[in-house]
Amino acid sequence: MSFVCVYDETNAQHAPPVEFYAATGWEKHVEKPIRTEKILTSLKATFGDRLALVAPRSEHYGKEHLLAVHDAAYLEWLEVAWSNYAEFRKLRFNDDKTVEHGLIPDVFTFGPRHQLPKCKSLHAGHYCFDTYTPIMPATYDAAVRCGAHVALTGADLLNEQNNARTAGEAAPTVYALCRPPGHHAGADYYGGYCYLNNAAIAVAHLKTLGHARISILDIDYHHGNGTQDIFFHDPAVQYVSIHGDPDAEFPYYSGYASEVGEHNQALNLPLPLFSGEVPYQEALKKAVKAISAFGPTILVVSLGVDTQLNDPMGTFKLVAPMYKAVGETVRAELVNLPTLVIQEGGYRLETMGDCVAQFMAAFWQ
């Protein structure tokens, strides 16, 4: 039996050099192409010739798949953001220093009566909510093909495997190695290294394939504000997240326990900084019981391994072997659910690949 990993190597063309923090200024960007290489190396070492790498079926997907989730004006702007920025630099500064930092806004829209200027590169401050998410020459193409199309292909392959399984056969799991990640991107905004919401695009597509109730389990260290926003009013999509306390962790303004969705279909389980395996597993058990009670026909996992010990973007203390236990907890309660695992964050290069492989080992047996 082969284990399917959907992946596109051209994600490497999206390589932001820097991000900007108020406390420290310019820093080397942590969301870099080598992340996918580390994950693939560990998956190949763990699963050997049972691992089947599959390219995205990009020819099957059009703009309508993105529009099922994202605002048309936002997509139109994002598609040409880089070329508009390059033109702006030449007109305003008479230079071509666009690649040095990428397009990062430094002024953001404010107040109820703001207007958008004619210069469209300045609209970055309208659509983006941070200074960590540069737009580079290949950003849009990577977000579409290596993010959204990878997730859509994973959704289709999972649905096909599920339809083909026989009575008594285990529910299938497909892994979508998406980059750039997606769960911070909303319908009409981007940030947190995310431009298009891969998980949400996959969920919207799965709904068209006949799945009437879908659960999303987000286990990235940071709350998936974009995913929650997109489905906040949708009674057919449950969003469950375990993450660092937003009182002290990005994205700060989202992820509180009081956020339950319009139909009580959201569950946020913020944990204190520096939480380890015991409180994490306690929260995870609550999460999977809530998913079981919701009664979905399919599960989408937004997998972030920035919950690992010494990750530069998190404070949790999970180590690689714990990720198999995390996966086993999910699988034990939701054993009959076909599962699409979509890659989100994880930035400690030395161990992030092993964390992903350990998690997938709970599903791929």
Side-chain angles (χ1 to χ4, degrees):
M1 178 180 180
S2 59
F3 304 137
V4 175
C5 168
V6 189
Y7 168 72
D8 192 295
E9 63 183 6
T10 62
N11 78 84
Q13 295 173 9
H14 168 69
V18 291
E19 51 191 308
F20 185 83
Y21 290 88
T24 58
W26 294 108
E27 299 280 355
K28 290 183 179 180
H29 212 283
V30 299
E31 203 293 285
K32 54 188 70 175
I34 195 173
R35 295 175 60 245
T36 59
E37 297 173 23
K38 294 292 186 180
I39 292 172
L40 281 178
T41 297
S42 292
L43 290 177
K44 290 174 181 177
T46 302
F47 300 105
D49 57 11
R50 294 180 297 168
L51 183 70
L53 295 180
V54 177
R57 300 169 172 176
S58 291
E59 66 278 7
H60 293 179
Y61 310 119
K63 187 69 71 68
E64 67 274 11
H65 291 87
L66 309 183
L67 288 169
V69 165
H70 289 288
D71 175 73
Y74 168 61
L75 288 178
E76 180 182 349
W77 176 84
L78 185 64
E79 186 171 8
V80 295
W82 177 260
S83 59
N84 282 336
Y85 178 51
E87 182 179 352
F88 169 73
R89 290 290 313 193
K90 289 179 181 178
L91 289 174
R92 178 65 177 81
F93 301 105
N94 194 31
D95 68 26
D96 58 356
K97 295 181 179 179
T98 50
V99 181
E100 185 175 354
H101 294 148
L103 171 54
I104 299 177
D106 56 0
V107 177
F108 299 85
T109 48
F110 51 87
R113 291 177 298 278
H114 69 263
Q115 298 185 45
L116 295 181
K118 290 181 181 179
C119 177
K120 289 197 172 183
S121 69
L122 296 177
H123 295 193
H126 173 67
Y127 290 116
C128 187
F129 64 86
D130 66 22
T131 56
Y132 321 142
T133 313
I135 290 177
M136 306 301 296
T139 295
Y140 181 78
D141 289 343
V144 172
R145 179 175 174 84
C146 309
H149 289 178
V150 165
L152 286 164
T153 302
D156 276 331
L157 289 169
L158 179 66
N159 196 61
E160 291 165 12
Q161 288 186 13
N162 190 53
N163 289 340
R165 69 167 165 152
T166 59
E169 189 175 356
T173 298
V174 170
Y175 174 56
L177 179 44
C178 295
R179 182 183 176 271
H183 72 152
H184 293 304
D188 60 355
Y189 62 80
Y190 71 101
Y193 310 155
C194 304
Y195 307 90
L196 299 176
N197 195 306
N198 307 315
I201 290 167
V203 167
H205 184 54
L206 287 166
K207 290 175 72 175
T208 71
L209 298 178
H211 293 279
R213 291 173 77 80
I214 301 172
S215 290
I216 303 168
L217 174 62
D218 191 329
I219 52 175
D220 189 275
Y221 178 76
H222 306 93
H223 181 250
N225 55 298
T227 310
Q228 177 175 274
D229 281 355
I230 288 166
F231 296 114
F232 199 79
H233 305 288
D234 190 339
V237 179
Q238 179 191 43
Y239 178 75
V240 179
S241 178
I242 305 170
H243 51 269
D245 186 348
D247 268 335
E249 285 294 353
F250 182 91
Y252 306 114
Y253 307 105
S254 183
Y256 294 88
S258 58
E259 299 163 19
V260 297
E262 183 178 338
H263 304 277
N264 202 37
Q265 84 287 14
L267 175 63
N268 284 293
L269 299 166
L271 294 178
L273 274 60
F274 308 105
S275 291
E277 182 179 20
V278 172
Y280 194 91
Q281 279 285 6
E282 289 175 353
L284 184 61
K285 289 173 183 176
K286 293 178 184 177
V288 295
K289 286 186 182 301
I291 292 170
S292 181
F294 185 74
T297 59
I298 204 161
L299 174 66
V300 174
V301 177
S302 277
L303 173 63
V305 293
D306 41 4
T307 49
Q308 64 181 306
L309 181 68
N310 295 327
D311 190 281
M313 305 307 292
T315 69
F316 287 175
K317 297 182 177 181
L318 304 188
V319 295
M322 293 179 187
Y323 285 87
K324 186 173 184 181
V326 169
E328 288 171 343
T329 298
V330 176
R331 195 63 166 169
E333 182 74 28
L334 308 172
V335 64
N336 292 318
L337 278 184
T339 301
L340 175 63
V341 179
I342 292 180
Q343 189 62 48
E344 301 287 359
Y347 307 100
R348 187 171 189 264
L349 298 177
E350 296 87 348
T351 52
M352 63 172 295
D354 290 340
C355 295
V356 172
Q358 287 289 327
F359 182 82
M360 294 309 303
F363 294 85
W364 288 345
Q365 297 178 2

